[in-house]
Amino acid sequence: RDVQTVCREAVMLFGGLPPMPRYTFLLHLGDNLYGGLEHCRSTLLMASRDSLPEPDNRAGHRYIQLLGLFSHEYFHTWNVKALRPREYQHYELQQEQPTEMLWLFEGFTAYFDNLLLVRSGVIGIHTYFDLLAQDIARYRQRPGRRHQTLAQSSYEAWTKLYNGGEDAQNSSTTYYIQGALAAWCLDTWLRVHSEDGISLPMVMHRLWHDYHQHGEGLDEARFLRLTADLLPEDLEPALRGVLRRLVHSTEELPLEETAARLGLSLQMQPSAGAGDLGSDVPAVQRYQSDPGIRWQRRGEHYIVSRIDETSPAALAGIAMDDDIIAVNGYRASEAQLARHLQHAAPGNAALLHIFRDNVLEAIAFTLNPAPADTCIITRDPDADEDSRIRQRHWLNRKADA
Ligand SMILES: [Zn+2]
C-alpha cells in the first residue's frame, strides 16, 4: 500500500500514468544487498531481507530506504527512460556516451524520491528532515566537491565516479547527492522568485509534456528555456545565473539560505565519530580538531584513505596510502589517532611517523578546527509567515502537522 501511495504521487506530479499497459517491480531480497536499476517498463530492486516491514519495524530506516528506492526507480520511468539527455536519444551501445545532464536525470530523481515519500504522507516530516540532513552531511563531508562541478561529475562519471576507488571521495563529487541538493536549492529558488507560483514539480511536469509533444532529448539550453517560460520574463538571466552556480561552479551550495526560505534551520556541528551524519551528542564529545585526513585499519596498519588536498596535512606532504605507524610518538591505534588528531585543540601541532614505500618519514603539521559537517534540520520557530506557508506547499501539508 505504501508503494502504491508513492507511485500515485509520482503519477500526479507528471499528470498521468506512464504510457504502458503494465509496470513491474522486481524485488530481490538477500543479505546486505542494496541497489536498483531502472528499465523502461520495470525495475530491478535489491535489498536486505530485514528491509521488509514487520509489525514492529514499519518505520525502520531500512524500510524507508527501500521505499525511497521504489520511488527513485519509478520516477526514472519518466525521468531518464523516456525523457532523457539529448546524447541518449539514440543509444550507442558500443561505447560510453558522456553527458553533462546527469545532475538532472539522477540528481533530480534522487531529490524527488524521498520528497514523494513525505508529500504522499508515507513518512512524516521529521523523518524527511532527517533524510535531507543526512544528504547535507554526506555532501559536506566529501572533499571532492571542491574539485569538480556537477556538470563535470556527470560528464566524467565513467572515468571518475565509477572508476575512482576510494580516491573518488577526494577528487570528485556525486551528481546523486549533490544533484539532489542542487534540485532542492533550485526548487526553493523557483518558489521564492515566482511568489510561490512555480516549483520544481511543475517544471518536471512541463519537461515531460514537452517531451511527449516533441520527442526530443533534453540539454541544458532546452531545460533553461522551458523553465524560464514558466517564470516572469525578466527572471531568465537570474535563472541562468543560478544554474551556473549550482551546476557549473564549485561554490558551496546555498543550503542555509534555502533552508531559511522554507522556514527551517540547519544545525551544523562537528562529527561525533566515523559515520556520524547528524546526532544530538553533546559538544564536548564531538571532534575538536581536524587533520584533513581519514584512515582505514588494515590488519595492524592504519592507511591514509582520504585526504583533503587543501589541508595542512596534505600541504605538509601526507599522501594517500601512507602507512601511519605513530602519532605524536605513540604507536598508532584508533584511540591514539582520534585523541591526537581529532580531539586535540585546534592549532596544536601533530607529528606523524609514516612508512611510504617502506621508507620511514616524519611529517608535522598544524591541526585545523573540526569542520561543522553533520546536520540536524528543524523547523525554525521564528520563521516568517511566507516561509512557513512555502514549507507547507513544498511538503504538501495542509497545516503545520
Ligand atoms: Zn537513479
Side-chain angles (χ1 to χ4, degrees):
R1 200 176 318 121
D2 286 340
V3 172
Q4 256 176 7
T5 307
V6 174
C7 290
R8 202 174 294 128
E9 195 68 30
V11 170
M12 262 160 34
L13 185 147
F14 286 105
L17 281 166
M20 63 189 67
R22 180 190 171 93
Y23 184 90
T24 309
F25 289 101
L26 296 159
L27 176 59
H28 177 60
L29 294 168
D31 287 327
N32 294 318
L33 292 179
Y34 184 73
L37 185 63
E38 68 277 11
H39 299 292
C40 287
R41 298 175 183 197
S42 65
T43 177
L44 176 63
L45 311 168
M46 296 182 299
S48 294
R49 289 188 189 91
D50 61 0
S51 307
L52 288 187
E54 301 281 346
D56 55 342
N57 81 343
R58 189 175 178 280
H61 84 273
R62 279 185 199 271
Y63 177 57
I64 291 167
Q65 191 185 33
L66 178 61
L67 287 176
L69 191 60
F70 271 94
S71 177
H72 183 98
E73 304 305 340
Y74 192 55
F75 199 87
H76 271 320
T77 312
W78 292 270
N79 194 37
V80 95
K81 296 311 292 185
L83 173 66
R84 58 177 87 151
R86 195 169 44 77
E87 294 86 347
Y88 293 2
Q89 196 66 6
H90 304 286
Y91 287 124
E92 287 273 354
L93 299 178
Q94 312 292 330
Q95 61 191 38
E96 296 96 339
Q97 270 175 294
T99 170
E100 286 195 345
M101 293 298 290
L102 296 181
W103 53 270
L104 190 156
F105 290 95
E106 281 299 350
F108 283 20
T109 303
Y111 171 58
F112 280 105
D113 58 20
N114 288 335
L115 188 63
L116 294 187
L117 300 188
V118 67
R119 285 176 65 97
S120 65
V122 161
I123 61 171
I125 58 164
H126 297 289
T127 303
Y128 178 66
F129 291 165
D130 289 347
L131 294 171
L132 186 57
Q134 287 164 15
D135 276 351
I136 290 173
R138 290 189 186 100
Y139 162 71
R140 287 276 170 88
Q141 290 177 10
R142 189 171 178 118
R145 75 184 187 283
R146 289 196 278 265
H147 301 288
Q148 201 188 37
T149 68
L150 270 179
Q152 289 165 343
S153 155
S154 171
Y155 198 81
E156 296 171 349
W158 291 99
T159 48
K160 287 212 170 145
L161 189 67
Y162 288 110
N163 211 8
E166 180 61 28
D167 194 46
Q169 285 279 342
N170 307 319
S171 61
S172 71
T173 188
T174 142
Y175 48 77
Y176 285 94
I177 291 170
Q178 191 171 334
L181 293 174
W184 181 49
C185 295
L186 181 61
D187 191 6
T188 307
W189 186 89
L190 290 168
R191 291 169 192 272
V192 169
H193 288 81
S194 64
E195 293 178 10
D196 295 292
I198 302 299
S199 64
L200 201 58
M202 294 166 77
V203 170
M204 295 313 296
H205 184 273
R206 175 72 201 269
L207 297 179
W208 169 247
H209 285 271
D210 174 71
Y211 170 77
H212 215 53
Q213 271 182 328
H214 303 287
E216 278 184 47
L218 193 67
D219 57 16
E220 192 173 322
R222 194 174 184 90
F223 171 74
L224 188 80
R225 187 166 58 71
L226 291 169
T227 306
D229 280 353
L230 296 170
L231 292 167
E233 210 171 292
D234 54 337
L235 276 176
E236 196 195 320
L239 176 64
R240 202 178 283 275
V242 168
L243 277 188
R244 200 178 308 125
R245 171 172 181 185
L246 297 179
V247 177
H248 296 285
S249 87
T250 52
E251 222 180 305
E252 288 284 313
L253 294 175
L255 301 173
E256 278 82 0
E257 186 192 330
T258 297
R261 297 297 200 138
L262 293 168
L264 303 174
S265 59
L266 298 189
Q267 195 188 343
M268 302 297 304
Q269 303 176 93
S271 169
D276 182 20
L277 298 172
S279 59
D280 50 12
V281 171
V284 289
Q285 291 170 26
R286 295 177 177 278
Y287 293 161
Q288 309 296 313
S289 49
D290 176 37
I293 56 170
R294 293 288 181 272
W295 47 87
Q296 267 179 355
R297 185 175 174 172
R298 289 184 210 150
E300 290 305 304
H301 296 264
Y302 293 87
I303 309 295
V304 175
S305 62
R306 194 180 291 192
I307 189 158
D308 179 348
E309 286 170 26
T310 60
S311 66
L315 297 175
I318 300 281
M320 287 287 283
D321 297 323
D322 281 350
D323 183 352
I324 306 171
I325 56 167
V327 53
N328 291 347
Y330 292 88
R331 179 194 287 271
S333 67
E334 281 299 349
Q336 292 292 1
L337 289 167
R339 181 176 148 223
H340 291 277
L341 299 178
Q342 293 168 317
H343 292 282
N348 272 12
L351 174 66
L352 291 188
H353 281 89
I354 57 134
F355 272 121
R356 183 182 304 160
D357 288 337
N358 299 321
V359 176
L360 181 67
E361 292 193 36
I363 299 179
F365 54 91
T366 307
L367 295 171
N368 276 340
D373 59 8
T374 72
C375 182
I376 293 177
I377 296 180
T378 49
R379 275 196 170 130
D380 178 1
D382 300 324
D384 59 44
E385 185 66 8
D386 282 355
S387 304
R388 280 215 292 268
I389 293 172
R390 188 173 301 123
Q391 182 193 105
R392 290 205 292 267
H393 287 165
W394 170 56
L395 298 173
N396 194 24
R397 287 294 194 277
K398 298 226 165 19
D400 287 343

